[in-house]
Amino acid sequence: MDGLSIEVLREIFLYLKDDYSTGDLFSALMVNRRWCKIIVPILWEAPFNKQNYNKHQSKCIRTYLSNAGEKLTSVLTIHDVDLSSCSKGTIFDYASYLRHLPLLELFQYIKYYFLSPSMLADPLKQPDDDSYFKNMLVFAVLCILFTKHSTYIRTLRIVNDPDLHPLNIVVAKLLNLSGATDSLSGLQYFQCHSLSKEDISPLYKEMAGICKSIIRLDINSVIRSDEEALSSLIKAQKNLKYLTIKSDEINFIPALESIGSQSSSLIRLRLESLFLDIATDEALNSIKSCKNLRSLILRNCYELESPRVLEISTSFPLLEEFYYGGCFEMPEEFISGILKTANNNLRRLTLKDYTPGVITAIITYCKNIQELYLLELDEDDILSIFRNCTQLKHFTFNGGESVKADDLFGKMANCIPKTLEYLCIFMDLKEHWVFSSEALKDFLDIATGHSFKYLTVNHRDFIDDEEEINSSLPDYATMTTFSKEHLEVIKESKINFHTHCGYMLIEYPDFITEINIPDLRETPLFRRWYHILGQSWTERLIDS
């Protein structure tokens, strides 16, 4: 591999990068100096993305402080911040490699790094009176370090937290730091999640002047003072592709009106907690103008069947993914309009409720659907989907309670889509499907003759009496769906299998809460499915 260029080697090493482990990259950087110089920047692009805060993970703070230089660290030593474990300088300029800056995670890493041994031994012990001030001082120093040294911060995530309150004071000044114009001018992903009703408009205004290349923008709270500044930030972008707007108030309207400025580039739109019937005609027309939209997510959005809003459902002929959920109402006409308009282009569909009319729309218009997530289905619905959705690859549904499934498994086997790879069935923990190992074997014999590889059965408990459940744990959580005979059939079929009782039961380490055949969490392809189990396909798209 000595003859390969740096660019080619970097692409190879990126394949070794894993969200769950960096062990392979650490091994590779020890091979020689050339590999080390290529791999170190990869390892230090996103050191704060893992949320498993602990003393070991937080040691990157020591490295950054060693990298900060005497001018910055002198501010800390004046205020008695303990830097005794830090060295004077580093071989690499680690701060220059930073590409992803989640501010809350950064602050949590700082907290854990400076925790005393007594605090680690007793998490309930109160910290020193000045520890918060010192942590905030280190936070400010590292923000200065990153904005000065990193030439290309791609991700900035701000999630409000009591530790970072008030948000506008802690963060809004970030863009005024020396070097921020250069380091943040190429920002591609910005997330702001404010849990309190505070004014973040100064931050949006500053960003509108500096950050014009944002591709993904997630705004999880809009208050009255923010609405015009947020609208300016959206309009300032040159190529916005992914947009999330969530608001529990009526202040979302200017942001929706600004969507029209991105109509040619926007491919994913996620709207949450909005009463769309109060939107202006300009706002609704802006949404309808996004003809290139590939993904539409509507969560807790209301009044979709009011005449003005209903027109949106016929606006997206190129739509490949649609998600609807979180509401008590089921806007059948709106959803049917979405499915009819998208027609054969639709590939992924998640509905947290449905009506017979929606099922009819799915089997009539969604002939090329590949990933489908639905709530409780009866036998006829399951078989109709199997017969009509012949390109289906991944199918997740709630299987209902106390279903006698021997006959159903046989019927499913006779019409299973040849493309089906992954089947996930949610069942009641105590009133699960009842089926013989022979029926399961007959189904798997036919299914594995095509493309079928993964079977997941997750249990849920719908009993309301929590006191009764808690008093009999862990025995109450014992799974009875699969016997030894069932598991032997699954092993012989060579598929990958996962089932879970629905309870974590961390306090009972010896209790079996899940069964994996083989250990699917070690299977690279399934690890992704295991990670997003229970999430919508939309979340998988957003995470990628």
Side-chain angles (χ1 to χ4, degrees):
M1 296 178 67
D2 290 341
L4 297 178
S5 67
I6 292 176
E7 292 76 14
V8 172
L9 284 173
R10 176 177 167 81
E11 289 299 317
I12 293 173
F13 295 142
L14 284 173
Y15 277 99
L16 298 179
K17 189 177 181 182
D18 192 303
D19 290 337
Y20 302 87
S21 172
T22 53
D24 291 337
L25 277 176
F26 275 113
S27 298
L29 71 81
M30 302 298 290
V31 171
N32 58 47
R33 183 175 297 181
R34 184 169 183 247
W35 283 25
C36 181
K37 288 181 178 180
I38 299 170
I39 292 172
V40 166
I42 295 174
L43 287 171
W44 285 84
E45 284 184 354
F48 309 117
N49 276 9
K50 294 185 179 180
Q51 296 185 6
N52 52 332
Y53 311 121
N54 56 56
K55 194 71 173 178
H56 176 72
Q57 293 286 350
S58 64
K59 287 182 179 179
C60 63
I61 300 300
R62 178 182 63 190
T63 303
Y64 281 129
L65 290 175
S66 300
N67 186 204
E70 186 175 350
K71 185 176 180 180
L72 284 176
T73 55
S74 63
V75 177
L76 302 178
T77 54
I78 290 173
H79 292 89
D80 297 323
V81 176
D82 182 10
L83 301 179
S84 58
S85 63
C86 300
S87 60
K88 295 186 181 297
T90 55
I91 298 175
F92 294 95
D93 184 5
Y94 293 99
S96 68
Y97 307 137
L98 188 75
R99 298 293 179 264
H100 306 281
L101 181 54
L103 294 181
L104 178 59
E105 285 78 0
L106 167 61
F107 189 79
Q108 296 295 345
Y109 271 56
I110 293 170
K111 280 176 58 179
Y112 270 83
Y113 177 70
F114 286 103
L115 280 179
S116 63
S118 61
M119 285 290 296
L120 288 171
D122 183 9
L124 298 179
K125 184 178 179 181
Q126 292 297 315
D128 298 335
D129 292 339
D130 62 347
S131 62
Y132 178 77
F133 169 76
K134 291 180 179 179
N135 289 339
M136 286 302 299
L137 198 58
V138 174
F139 178 85
V141 164
L142 291 185
C143 283
I144 294 171
L145 175 69
F146 296 144
T147 53
K148 277 189 172 183
H149 286 236
S150 178
T151 56
Y152 184 25
I153 294 177
R154 291 183 295 186
T155 299
L156 177 62
R157 291 177 51 229
I158 304 169
V159 180
N160 197 15
D161 184 88
D163 285 336
L164 286 177
H165 183 78
L167 184 66
N168 57 341
I169 294 177
V170 174
V171 179
K173 301 300 182 183
L174 182 68
L175 294 172
N176 291 323
L177 295 175
S178 175
T181 302
D182 292 331
S183 63
L184 292 171
S185 61
L187 193 70
Q188 294 182 351
Y189 171 34
F190 174 60
Q191 179 191 42
C192 185
H193 186 182
S194 176
L195 300 179
S196 60
K197 306 297 183 181
E198 56 183 306
D199 182 10
I200 314 176
S201 58
L203 175 63
Y204 294 153
K205 290 176 181 177
E206 291 285 345
M207 292 188 67
I210 296 175
C211 309
K212 300 181 183 296
S213 302
I214 296 176
I215 294 174
R216 174 180 167 184
L217 181 61
D218 294 348
I219 305 298
N220 293 329
S221 180
V222 183
I223 63 174
R224 182 170 296 278
S225 57
D226 298 340
E227 53 187 18
E228 294 299 335
L230 175 58
S231 176
S232 298
L233 177 60
I234 294 173
K235 291 178 180 178
Q237 304 315 308
K238 299 176 181 178
N239 190 34
L240 187 64
K241 293 184 177 181
Y242 310 96
L243 176 63
T244 295
I245 298 175
K246 178 180 179 180
S247 178
D248 296 321
E249 302 180 16
I250 66 171
N251 308 304
F252 61 88
I253 295 175
L256 289 190
E257 291 175 344
S258 67
I259 289 176
S261 65
Q262 306 295 326
S263 60
S264 61
S265 60
L266 203 64
I267 61 174
R268 180 180 67 79
L269 178 62
R270 177 172 181 150
L271 304 177
E272 291 194 42
S273 304
L274 308 184
F275 285 85
L276 291 174
D277 61 319
I278 65 173
T280 61
D281 288 341
E282 182 182 354
L284 296 178
N285 288 333
S286 288
I287 297 175
K288 289 189 290 184
S289 70
C290 300
K291 300 298 183 182
N292 293 323
L293 212 61
R294 299 297 196 275
S295 175
L296 177 63
I297 302 98
L298 301 176
R299 184 174 179 83
N300 291 320
C301 289
Y302 299 91
E303 305 298 335
L304 297 183
E305 295 208 331
S306 64
R308 292 189 309 127
V309 180
L310 192 58
E311 296 177 8
I312 293 175
S313 68
T314 59
S315 301
F316 312 118
L318 302 180
L319 204 65
E320 296 178 2
E321 175 179 50
F322 178 62
Y323 171 102
Y324 174 81
C327 299
F328 293 110
E329 61 184 37
M330 186 60 189
E332 179 180 308
E333 187 176 357
F334 182 92
I335 292 175
S336 296
I338 290 283
L339 302 185
K340 182 178 181 180
T341 303
N343 215 290
N344 289 332
N345 286 321
L346 201 67
R347 297 292 187 271
R348 293 174 290 277
L349 177 63
T350 300
L351 299 176
K352 294 305 177 79
D353 200 357
Y354 70 94
T355 63
V358 170
I359 294 295
T360 299
I362 292 173
I363 63 178
T364 302
Y365 304 119
C366 305
K367 299 295 186 181
N368 292 330
I369 197 79
Q370 294 180 359
E371 300 177 14
L372 186 58
Y373 183 109
L374 296 172
L375 281 185
E376 187 170 332
L377 296 176
D378 61 27
E379 178 178 326
D380 290 339
D381 293 335
I382 297 169
L383 297 177
S384 292
I385 289 169
F386 267 37
R387 293 189 186 104
N388 291 278
C389 301
T390 57
Q391 303 302 310
L392 197 61
K393 291 184 177 181
H394 307 285
F395 188 22
T396 297
F397 64 92
N398 187 333
E401 302 175 12
S402 302
V403 176
K404 306 298 182 183
D406 273 7
D407 186 49
L408 177 56
F409 266 123
K411 292 178 180 178
M412 288 168 60
N414 290 331
C415 60
I416 186 172
K418 294 181 180 180
T419 54
L420 190 69
E421 299 177 2
Y422 177 87
L423 181 64
C424 176
I425 307 174
F426 284 88
M427 298 182 188
D428 186 85
L429 178 62
K430 294 304 178 183
E431 299 182 18
H432 50 75
W433 281 17
V434 179
F435 51 91
S436 66
S437 58
E438 291 79 8
L440 179 62
K441 183 179 187 304
D442 291 341
F443 170 77
L444 292 177
D445 283 346
I446 295 176
T448 54
H450 303 306
S451 304
F452 194 66
K453 299 174 184 176
Y454 302 96
L455 173 63
T456 294
V457 174
N458 282 321
H459 297 88
R460 289 179 173 175
D461 190 3
F462 298 102
I463 292 181
D464 295 328
D465 192 346
E466 293 186 11
E467 184 175 339
E468 177 186 341
I469 295 172
N470 292 332
S471 64
S472 57
L473 287 174
D475 291 341
Y476 181 88
T478 300
M479 294 180 288
T480 57
T481 309
F482 295 93
S483 65
K484 290 182 179 179
E485 290 76 17
H486 288 101
L487 298 180
E488 283 300 321
V489 166
I490 292 169
K491 288 180 182 178
E492 292 173 4
S493 72
K494 306 298 184 183
I495 66 166
N496 297 293
F497 172 75
H498 167 79
T499 187
H500 197 285
C501 71
Y503 289 91
M504 298 307 293
L505 298 180
I506 299 174
E507 64 272 31
Y508 302 99
D510 296 328
F511 183 78
I512 298 176
T513 59
E514 63 180 344
I515 300 172
N516 296 294
I517 302 175
D519 189 348
L520 299 180
R521 290 164 298 177
E522 298 304 318
T523 305
L525 176 60
F526 192 83
R527 271 191 295 187
R528 185 62 177 154
W529 286 106
Y530 187 84
H531 177 64
I532 60 109
L533 211 54
Q535 296 182 28
S536 70
W537 311 131
T538 295
E539 296 297 338
R540 180 161 54 84
L541 173 72
I542 294 172
D543 288 342
S544 61

